[in-house]
Amino acid sequence: MTRRLSQLLIGLFLYGLGIALIVRGEIGVAPWDVLTQGIDSHTHLGFGLITVLMSGVVLLLWIPIRQKPGIGTVLNALLVGPSADVGLWLIPPGQDLWLRVIFFAAGLLVLAVATGLYIGAHFGPGPRDGLMTGLHKRTGWRIWVVRTGVEVVVLGAGWLLGGNVGVGTVLFAVLVGPLCNWTIPFFAIKRPAEAEAAPAHPGLEEALEGSAVPSEPSIDSPAN
């Protein structure tokens, strides 16, 4: 349990750092971050705070689809935004193009590793990913249809509000799935089969892990 919690917290911090690197790349960000930037351009509440507030709104949408968050889901909602703010504070904006491209590439790799770490800890997916899988379970629609539909709406709204849509947005959508397809199994903590079959504290395990499961990495675009 100690290792799982440590891996979860490290993964969430790195996730925020990865988002910050992609944002400082200034060549386009993930769909949900486009929306966050768009809202921030009008409210000036700060990227991290808006990320937290958006996660809270998404978690409210879990209620009608009867998804149960795990501790990883809740910590994701609370910690990724502040971690992103730390990264944005450490990494200066307005760099030369070659350096911004490096920022973006590094951010994509860090984000993929972070996703493998926190998903591999088995404490539940991020709020946005759980929303996708929950809608898939309740509607019967294919997961890629649900995810594409939601993210097209989110991306369009963020772009209209002034979020940064660019080549990086396309690269993120194309590359993050294959990268996570490698990092999630690589960092997954393998628990003993007997513990899986008969956990020592089944009630505690259920409460910590929740009922939501992450979508397949090949179609996942975690901003969340």
Side-chain angles (χ1 to χ4, degrees), residues 6 8 15 52 54 61 121 145 147-148 155 162 164 168 177 189 210:
S6 300
L8 171 68
Y15 199 99
V52 173
M54 288 291 297
L61 298 177
V145 173
R147 178 171 293 279
T148 300
L155 179 63
N164 183 9
I189 295 176

Side-chain angles (χ1 to χ4, degrees), residues 149-193:
V150 171
E151 293 197 344
V152 165
V153 171
V154 167
L155 179 63
W159 176 69
L160 290 173
L161 290 171
N164 183 9
V165 179
V167 65
T169 308
V170 177
L171 290 173
F172 182 94
V174 171
L175 297 176
V176 72
L179 287 171
C180 291
N181 199 44
W182 175 76
T183 60
I184 289 176
F186 183 83
F187 289 106
I189 295 176
K190 297 175 177 61
R191 290 171 289 178

Side-chain angles (χ1 to χ4, degrees), residues 11-27:
L12 293 177
F13 174 77
L14 289 177
Y15 199 99
L17 181 60
I19 290 176
L21 283 164
I22 291 173
V23 170
R24 287 297 188 240
E26 300 176 14
I27 60 172

